[in-house]
Amino acid sequence: MNQEQLEKVKQGHGFIAALDQSGGSTPKALKAYGVDEDQYTNEDEMFDLVHEMRTRIVTSPSFTSDKVLGAILFEQTMDREVEGQYTGDYLADKGIVPFLKVDKGLADEENGVQLMKPIPGLEDLLARANDRHIFGTKMRSNILSADKEGIIAVVEQQFEIGKQIIAAGLVPIIEPEVSINAGDKEEIEEILRDAILEELNGLAEDELVMLKLTLPTVPNLYKELVNHPNVIRVVALSGGYTRTEANNMLKENEGIIASFSRALSSDLNANQSAEEFDSKLSEAIDSIFDASVNKK
């Protein structure tokens, strides 16, 4: 583990950019960026276009380590280059800590949740991540209702795989997303907090994780997780909230910083000039940074 990057993630002021759309979410991300499906004919062209979008973001003058602590990458992004360097190296040279999305998507809903699909070749992927100087990983599950059995299953699966990631020398971001549309969202979050706390209390002293959580209905519900000695940092996903909504909720949660995807890139468009693009990205970065560091 890179100790300098560890301290930056743990103590730094800023947020983590989520640039890890993959598979089925890529066409939606491109469409939001102004690239319709008739502008590419196969998956290779699609991923070329999304890499161009991500390259445009990370090379922007406003995408700096002063406000962006880290960036989460899709596997293909990790293996591609930005300005002649592997993406992770390019980011690290800018002082931005690189993370890698490692999950392979979600299984069908059962017991009110979607577990992660199996991750074949995880050991090899983690070895490649180390070769590419990646600091940590991210993996997402989905919680749709307050089914205690389902929520516990999600958390147990996350930590089971998380321990494999720790053993490989990387820091896992545990991400059990809660649907913002769940009618019993507040109840889900209480069950989730307790399940995560139980898993955290079972970790060895040197087993460190990060948590990526949906912004809670009750502010500071996750304070005990933020302060847990095995937690390097708690970050929040925007989860479908607008940037304004997400920022306002984030400001109410002490010790939690952003790790936004759609809320970061929602105003960006492929047809913008370089000046327009950077201006819109700068506005987004400034507002998310402010919500991450300045609390109510």
Side-chain angles (χ1 to χ4, degrees):
M1 188 188 302
N2 183 307
Q3 292 301 311
E4 183 181 344
Q5 290 181 334
L6 174 62
E7 284 306 307
K8 183 176 184 66
V9 173
K10 194 171 186 176
Q11 307 290 347
H13 293 291
F15 68 95
I16 294 174
L19 307 175
D20 58 330
Q21 302 94 342
S22 62
S25 65
T26 303
K28 188 186 294 185
L30 282 172
K31 189 172 181 65
Y33 181 56
V35 178
D36 292 323
E37 292 187 37
D38 60 6
Q39 292 176 252
Y40 50 90
T41 58
N42 56 49
E43 196 173 75
D44 287 343
E45 291 180 4
M46 177 184 76
F47 283 123
D48 286 345
L49 287 166
V50 82
H51 187 66
E52 287 176 17
M53 177 185 77
R54 289 167 178 153
T55 297
R56 199 176 183 193
I57 291 171
V58 302
T59 58
S60 169
S62 60
F63 198 84
T64 67
S65 61
D66 291 343
K67 295 179 179 177
V68 182
L69 294 180
I72 305 171
L73 309 175
F74 174 48
E75 182 180 347
Q76 282 201 23
T77 310
M78 175 186 74
D79 289 331
R80 290 177 182 242
E81 294 184 353
V82 173
E83 295 189 350
Q85 292 180 282
Y86 283 116
T87 309
D89 291 329
Y90 176 83
L91 290 168
D93 281 355
K94 289 186 77 165
I96 296 170
V97 180
F99 294 81
L100 173 68
K101 169 187 165 70
V102 296
D103 69 81
K104 301 297 183 184
L106 299 170
D108 293 336
E109 180 184 347
E110 187 175 350
N111 294 330
V113 303
Q114 289 177 284
L115 295 171
M116 291 180 286
K117 290 179 179 177
I119 310 176
L122 178 61
E123 189 175 329
D124 290 341
L125 179 58
L126 296 177
R128 204 160 83 249
N130 276 311
D131 288 343
R132 297 279 185 266
H133 306 122
I134 300 296
F135 173 78
T137 66
K138 190 210 86 162
M139 49 192 178
R140 172 179 171 264
S141 312
N142 195 29
I143 302 173
L144 302 163
S145 66
D147 184 306
K148 187 173 182 179
E149 181 183 344
I151 294 170
I152 289 173
V154 159
V155 175
E156 286 180 345
Q157 184 193 39
Q158 283 275 348
F159 275 85
E160 180 184 355
I161 298 172
K163 288 175 184 177
Q164 295 178 47
I165 292 162
I166 292 168
L170 300 164
V171 174
I173 299 178
I174 306 291
E175 185 185 11
E177 179 173 351
V178 175
S179 170
I180 66 170
N181 299 313
D184 48 6
K185 180 173 178 283
E186 188 173 333
E187 184 183 353
I188 292 171
E189 289 164 344
E190 290 176 357
I191 297 169
L192 178 62
R193 175 200 57 200
D194 294 345
I196 292 173
L197 191 59
E198 185 168 341
E199 288 291 336
L200 289 173
N201 289 338
L203 294 176
E205 186 178 347
D206 62 346
E207 291 182 311
L208 304 177
V209 303
M210 294 173 64
L211 302 174
K212 182 166 178 172
L213 304 172
T214 304
L215 288 156
T217 301
V218 177
N220 292 317
L221 179 75
Y222 296 132
K223 191 68 175 174
E224 197 170 358
L225 306 181
V226 171
N227 294 330
H228 197 281
N230 290 86
V231 176
I232 295 172
R233 206 85 192 240
V234 177
V235 303
L237 56 100
S238 49
Y241 291 120
T242 66
R243 185 190 308 139
T244 299
E245 290 171 330
N247 283 341
N248 286 338
M249 292 177 74
L250 182 59
K251 284 183 178 183
E252 296 181 330
N253 286 274
E254 295 175 23
I256 298 180
I257 63 173
S259 178
F260 294 169
S261 174
R262 280 169 288 181
L264 171 64
S265 60
S266 58
D267 293 337
L268 305 180
N269 191 282
N271 301 311
Q272 290 166 336
S273 68
E275 186 178 349
E276 291 170 327
F277 182 92
D278 187 56
S279 175
K280 290 296 183 182
L281 182 59
S282 180
E283 286 175 17
I285 287 173
D286 287 349
S287 72
I288 296 168
F289 174 82
D290 176 66
S292 294
V293 302
N294 296 316
K295 303 300 181 178
K296 289 182 179 178

